[in-house]
Structures are given as structure tokens and as C-alpha cells.
Amino acid sequence: MSIWEYANPRKFMATSGALLPWVSALAAILVIGGLVWGFFFTPDDFRMGSTVKVIYIHVPAAIMGSSAWFMMLVTSLIWLIRRHHVSALAAKAAAPVGMVFTLIGLITGAIWGQPMWGTWWEWDPRLTAFLVLFLFYLGYMALWEAIENPDAAADLTAVLCLVGTVFAVISRYALLFWNQGLHQGASLSMDAQENVADVFAYPLWTCVIGFLFLFVALVLYRTRTEIRARRLRALIQRERMA
Amino acid sequence: MPDLGRYATEVLSAYAVTLLLLVGLIAASVWKARKVLRQLREAENRRDPSA
């Protein structure tokens, strides 16, 4: 039994088909449960007031926005090194999901920043890197659509993914590189000194894990679609040649 | 409904935008999946009508 077995589209379709209902159900339970817990059953923060409730969507979305890019990096590297089509299609499938999570992080961050910082936007390293990451997502998706040959598209988008990883890293770890800007440090950390209070942390962790399962469910679902679309293109090409 | 005080607009709009984008993403994914599956079945039927 090897992980490379899943590079076989048939094996991937069989396994993902069996996993998808469970992953989707877990995602729904955790996301809805975490958001209801956070929105209805947690107190206001003594400094931020009720705006602290934005944390249950902003933090998980921002974490998944950059994590999605790292997943795309791994699958793009697998494509470049081992030429497994399923990995390239998984990267393609993940991009719109990561883009939406990044957009949610940007919009909810702006909505939260206005009352807390007095501004919708600040060109601080973390925010700027996150905006550039969002633009990389758009560029990545546009590049897939612009190139007709799927293998050439997979090659070029994989290279773009490698370049964009710089901004995914900066958006996640900017505070370690530059000790400046409005954005606070990590809300969830193994360091108890930095962490948010438990009353906020438990529903927040529930939402983070829920968003992770939602990401996995959507990527599995969309990768299955991409595999079918690839087979459809092959069949249409054969019809034209016949 | 919890009392959101003077930040009600900000909190509710953040949740509304998030739900809208997530529902849109899921709907778009399902729509594309159904369209591709339908086209694939049609192409497979053309190739092998007995299947």
C-alpha cells in the first residue's frame, strides 16, 4: 500500500467517493456548531466588545487561505517531479476554494479593523502579503483557463505556485519577520502567553477544524469534477479524430 | 439573538458576507460537477450506446 496509488484516477475516485459524505458531514457539524457556539454562547471581549465574534470566521478563513496555497504547493511539486495528473488537478481544484477563504479573510478583516483600528485597510506587511496572495490566486486561476494544453497549464501554474508561496509564508509569519504593523500576533498558538482566552479559544478551534474539513470536502469534490472533465476532454478529442 | 450593541452592523455584515461567499462557492462547485457529469455521460453514451 503506497500513497502513490491515489495518483491513479480510478483509485482516487473510489476512495474520495467513499470519504466525501463523512468529511462533508463532519465539516457541516463543526462549522455550524462552532459558529453557533461562538456567535450565541460566548461573551463580549472587554476591549473589542461584540466584534470579537468576527474572530470565529476571520481567523479560520485566513488560516485556510494560506494553508490552501501550501497544499497547492505540495501537489504542484508532485506534478513537477512525478507527473501525476491527479495532483495537478487537485491543485487546480483547490485554487478557487483557497481564493474564497482568502477573500473572506480580507473582507472580515476590513470589517473588523474599521471599528478597532479606525481604518478599513493598512499597508502593513501581513495585510499586504495577504492581498498579494489573493491576487496570486486570481492569476493562478486565470492561467489555468488561458492555456489550452492541460499539461502546459499544469507546468506553468505549478511554477506560479512556487513563486506565490513567498507571499503565503509572509502572510502567515510576517510578524516574525517585521515587528511592525497594526495586525496582532497569532490568535491560536501553542504558547499560552499569546493565546486568546479559553472561552473564545474552544469555539475558535472548533471553527478552524470545521473550516479545514470544509476545505478538504470541497477539494475532494472539485478534484473529482476535474478528473471527469479531463476524461470528457479525452473522449471529445477521440471523437474529433475518428 | 445576542445583544451586539453598537457593533451589530459590523458583526452581522461579516457573517452575512462569509455565508454568502461560502454558499456561492458550494453552489458553483455543485453546478459545475453536475454539468461535467452530464456531459461525460452523454459522451460515453455516444462512444458506446449499449453501455
Side-chain angles (χ1 to χ4, degrees):
Chain A
M1 174 78 183
S2 157
I3 191 170
W4 302 117
E5 283 181 28
Y6 296 99
N8 178 329
R10 277 180 193 278
K11 177 80 177 170
F12 180 87
M13 292 298 276
T15 310
S16 62
L19 281 175
L20 200 50
W22 297 100
V23 178
S24 306
L26 264 174
I29 291 167
L30 288 168
V31 170
I32 294 169
L35 290 180
V36 168
W37 185 0
F39 189 86
F40 290 99
F41 302 106
T42 57
D44 290 354
D45 180 69
F46 74 99
R47 277 179 302 186
M48 293 187 273
S50 63
T51 63
V52 73
K53 294 184 191 300
V54 179
I55 201 172
Y56 308 112
I57 44 179
H58 175 71
V59 171
I63 289 174
M64 288 318 303
S66 52
S67 300
W69 194 272
F70 293 128
M71 174 256 159
M72 287 161 58
L73 171 68
V74 172
T75 50
S76 296
L77 285 173
I78 292 171
W79 162 253
L80 287 175
I81 297 165
R82 298 190 66 127
R83 313 302 284 180
H84 291 319
H85 286 101
V86 172
S87 62
L89 296 177
K92 183 184 181 187
V97 186
M99 183 274 288
V100 167
F101 281 131
T102 306
L103 184 60
I104 290 171
L106 284 168
I107 294 174
T108 56
I111 292 172
W112 198 2
Q114 212 286 328
M116 292 300 102
W117 299 337
T119 179
W120 299 96
W121 182 259
E122 177 72 29
W123 294 100
D124 94 340
R126 195 174 203 180
L127 272 63
T128 307
F130 210 60
L131 176 64
V132 175
L133 178 66
F134 173 69
L135 298 176
F136 261 92
Y137 271 118
L138 296 184
Y140 180 93
M141 290 157 56
L143 195 54
W144 264 109
E145 297 303 318
I147 300 169
E148 205 166 318
N149 182 323
D151 285 6
D155 284 338
L156 291 173
T157 52
V159 173
L160 184 68
C161 187
L162 296 182
V163 178
T165 301
V166 175
F167 294 94
V169 171
I170 293 175
S171 69
R172 181 73 71 86
Y173 302 108
L175 257 80
L176 301 177
F177 305 140
W178 299 279
N179 192 19
Q180 65 178 67
L182 282 175
H183 203 287
Q184 69 194 55
S187 301
L188 291 173
S189 159
M190 293 301 152
D191 181 358
Q193 295 279 321
E194 282 186 17
N195 228 335
V196 295
D198 286 351
V199 69
F200 305 118
Y202 294 138
L204 179 53
W205 271 114
T206 308
C207 289
V208 169
I209 298 167
F211 272 53
L212 173 65
F213 274 100
L214 179 61
F215 172 74
V216 173
L218 282 167
V219 171
L220 286 177
Y221 187 70
R222 294 178 64 92
T223 305
R224 290 167 61 80
T225 303
E226 293 298 337
I227 289 171
R228 286 180 175 137
R230 187 169 181 271
R231 173 155 173 75
L232 175 63
R233 274 195 300 273
L235 288 178
I236 291 172
Q237 270 183 350
R238 266 183 230 169
E239 279 177 7
R240 283 179 186 160
M241 287 167 72
Chain B
M1 182 76 177
D3 178 16
L4 300 172
R6 63 194 173 115
Y7 299 125
T9 308
E10 285 86 350
V11 175
L12 292 176
S13 59
Y15 275 79
V17 167
T18 301
L19 291 179
L20 202 69
L21 285 171
L22 287 181
V23 169
L25 174 66
I26 293 166
S29 302
V30 170
W31 179 79
K32 186 180 175 186
R34 287 185 178 171
K35 183 179 149 201
V36 168
L37 187 59
R38 190 185 67 243
Q39 290 176 338
L40 180 61
R41 283 188 179 145
E42 285 169 4
E44 283 175 337
N45 282 340
R46 282 197 302 274
R47 181 168 164 248
D48 182 9
S50 63

